[in-house]
Amino acid sequence: MASAHGQLRILSGNSNLKLAELVAGHLDTKLTNCDVRKFANQETSVAILESVRACDTFIFQSGCGSVNDMCMEMFILIAACKTASANRVVGVLPYFPYGKQSKQKRRGAIPAKLIADMLKVAGVHQVITMDLHHMQMQGFFDMPVDNVKSSPLFSLYLKEHVPNAHQAVIVAKNAGASKRAALIAKRLRMDFALIFGEQTKFAETLSEERLGEDGSLEAASEEVQAESMQMTEGLDEDSYGTSVIGSVEGRTAIIVDDLIDTARPFVMAAELLLKNKASAVWVVATHGIFSGDAAEQFQASVVEKIVVTNTIPQVEFQKRCSKLDVIDCSAVLAETVRRIHNNESMANLYGHD
């Protein structure tokens, strides 16, 4: 498949070879042979075994597993393609590494911005990713970024698999997940509910301002900020809520978020929903990280079903949790690659609602 940018070439690091192979299959091509390994001293070595000269090169790598090693593989693959005279290099990062660290906390860095800068230095021309953790991350780049949406995939899956789907309710486990959840609720014409509670303390702590006693916005003093930090010790943006806005009684509650890292926030949300008389609780997220024993915690929890995409390999997690279903996102990524390769518009990628 050739275009004005040259012959299409698809390469992959070691993080998710299966997904890259599926994408290549949709495009009637094969992965370009490359050797990505580690030396005995743990340095990353990359060798591209086919010519990419004057080619339109797409490099796949997800930010999972040994994340730092996966990042270095990506950077060196990009640099190797540039050195080998590739016409254009597009980085395809289905799950963007360090995406959860896209906001500055007290005297901290913004690692997601640093990853964006390093991709540019390595020589990437464009980035494709799926469901960034925060939409404002697109502003970290001074190059085109295509943030592919998974919501059409989930909408179709939920219509087909949720019992009495027309009566189900989409739930955001915190305010940060509300926009994504509301979008899916709109697509499915379902009701929407929001879990509200302790995570509001975390949001206030991150701010240099807070509400005064009279309801006005005032600057927080060092003492007040220190007090807030102490109050929210152990809390983060995944902290669980304590009340539900919206009705879930007698209905399947579907918790929607962009990623699942640890299980506890979702399990606590599920227990709260069942206390509010939901008939069952499902969890739906684009990226299934499942850190630590998250898979086992879900297996032992009240959550009935967990649904994620294959932006991150899920084979091992499925062995540890029989409740886990995986949606293949390779077709939508392949169509994204095809359109960018052919300079086609992305406007109607998902069709019309």
Side-chain angles (χ1 to χ4, degrees):
M1 184 187 295
S3 73
H5 295 288
Q7 194 73 24
L8 176 66
R9 292 285 185 269
I10 298 177
L11 292 78
S12 179
N14 290 318
S15 66
N16 200 345
L17 274 168
K18 180 62 177 177
L19 178 59
E21 289 172 351
L22 289 171
V23 170
H26 286 298
L27 296 170
D28 296 322
T29 187
K30 294 182 179 180
L31 292 183
T32 298
N33 289 325
C34 55
D35 183 21
V36 183
R37 64 174 68 185
K38 276 188 174 184
F39 288 136
N41 65 357
Q42 300 304 300
E43 289 182 357
T44 299
S45 168
V46 168
I48 299 173
L49 306 179
E50 298 179 38
S51 174
V52 295
R53 181 178 294 276
C55 291
D56 197 16
T57 309
F58 291 76
I59 303 175
F60 279 73
Q61 188 81 314
S62 267
C64 57
S66 300
V67 179
N68 296 334
D69 288 338
M70 298 304 104
C71 288
M72 283 307 301
E73 285 185 9
M74 183 69 168
F75 300 146
I76 298 174
L77 275 166
I78 293 167
C81 288
K82 291 290 291 182
T83 303
S85 301
N87 187 36
R88 181 174 66 170
V89 180
V90 179
V92 186
L93 298 93
Y95 173 61
F96 194 86
Y98 286 87
K100 290 191 71 174
Q101 298 189 66
S102 57
K103 295 181 179 179
Q104 186 174 17
K105 301 178 184 179
R106 289 174 60 87
R107 300 185 184 89
I110 309 178
K113 174 66 167 68
L114 182 60
I115 296 295
D117 292 341
M118 293 171 74
L119 285 168
K120 179 183 177 182
V121 170
V124 78
H125 293 90
Q126 187 167 348
V127 169
I128 300 171
T129 187
M130 178 170 274
D131 283 346
L132 286 169
H133 190 53
H134 293 113
M135 289 295 292
Q136 67 267 26
M137 287 171 60
Q138 292 181 79
F140 292 168
F141 299 85
D142 56 1
M143 67 185 76
V145 178
D146 287 285
N147 184 30
V148 180
K149 306 296 190 299
S150 66
S151 52
L153 300 175
F154 286 124
S155 297
L156 181 61
Y157 178 93
L158 294 174
K159 282 181 182 178
E160 295 177 350
H161 292 85
V162 176
N164 298 317
H166 63 285
Q167 295 181 345
V169 57
I170 301 296
V171 180
K173 71 176 175 60
N174 55 38
S178 60
K179 185 174 182 180
R180 194 182 315 272
L183 175 63
I184 291 182
K186 181 180 178 181
R187 279 182 177 272
L188 293 174
R189 295 177 174 84
M190 291 180 178
D191 288 339
F192 172 71
L194 170 66
I195 294 177
F196 186 81
E198 289 189 10
Q199 62 270 62
T200 55
K201 298 178 185 177
F202 175 75
E204 185 175 270
T205 300
L206 291 182
S207 177
E208 296 296 326
E209 299 174 320
R210 58 178 292 162
L211 289 177
E213 293 182 359
D214 61 353
S216 62
L217 205 61
E218 62 181 21
S221 65
E222 288 288 335
E223 291 79 10
V224 167
Q225 290 187 40
E227 179 185 353
S228 295
M229 290 297 288
Q230 186 174 4
M231 288 171 58
T232 57
E233 186 175 359
L235 291 177
D236 58 22
E237 61 183 352
D238 289 329
S239 295
Y240 58 89
T242 54
S243 59
V244 179
I245 301 174
S247 174
V248 298
E249 184 174 352
R251 309 163 79 177
T252 300
I254 305 168
I255 302 173
V256 174
D257 212 337
D258 66 309
L259 61 87
I260 301 172
D261 190 354
T262 58
R264 184 171 179 268
F266 294 94
V267 173
M268 297 298 292
E271 291 175 352
L272 177 62
L273 291 166
L274 290 177
K275 285 180 182 177
N276 281 264
K277 301 182 180 179
S279 60
V281 179
W282 289 33
V283 173
V284 172
T286 307
H287 313 293
I289 301 174
F290 298 106
S291 297
D293 63 347
E296 288 79 7
Q297 288 186 42
F298 273 119
Q299 182 65 28
S301 75
V302 297
V303 176
E304 184 174 296
K305 179 77 72 177
I306 305 101
V307 186
V308 299
T309 72
N310 57 342
T311 57
I312 294 170
Q314 299 296 322
V315 174
E316 291 302 317
F317 300 135
Q318 285 184 294
K319 293 177 182 177
R320 293 155 52 191
C321 181
S322 61
K323 301 176 180 180
L324 180 60
D325 272 5
V326 181
I327 299 175
D328 182 16
C329 66
S330 62
V332 70
L333 288 174
E335 179 62 11
T336 303
V337 168
R338 189 193 68 78
R339 292 186 182 211
I340 291 174
H341 176 62
N342 293 320
N343 289 330
E344 295 179 17
S345 171
M346 304 290 289
N348 61 347
L349 177 63
Y350 311 106
H352 300 285
D353 294 328

